[in-house]
Amino acid sequence: MPDAWVEQVADLALQYGVSGFVLASDDPADLDRFGREVAPRAREPVVSERTG
């Protein structure tokens, strides 16, 4: 699941300029995973493309 989230978040950021995301979940594991895994991994290609 995190791999799909990374791809989706990076795609939204690059294609549409989205810079803030709201995770609609009450599950602490989802929130932790998004903050520790998804956001940092999605940030890498976005920064690379934007500063490229």
Side-chain angles (χ1 to χ4, degrees):
M1 182 182 301
D3 290 335
W5 287 357
V6 168
E7 185 176 325
Q8 293 167 353
V9 167
D11 189 50
L12 287 169
L14 290 170
Q15 285 193 23
Y16 302 104
V18 176
S19 61
F21 297 87
V22 175
L23 183 61
S25 176
D26 291 336
D27 184 348
D30 286 344
L31 300 172
D32 186 63
R33 184 174 299 117
F34 194 87
R36 291 179 188 268
E37 296 178 39
V38 177
R41 287 178 48 204
R43 187 177 298 120
E44 292 172 11
V46 173
V47 168
S48 177
E49 182 71 24
R50 288 182 177 170
T51 60

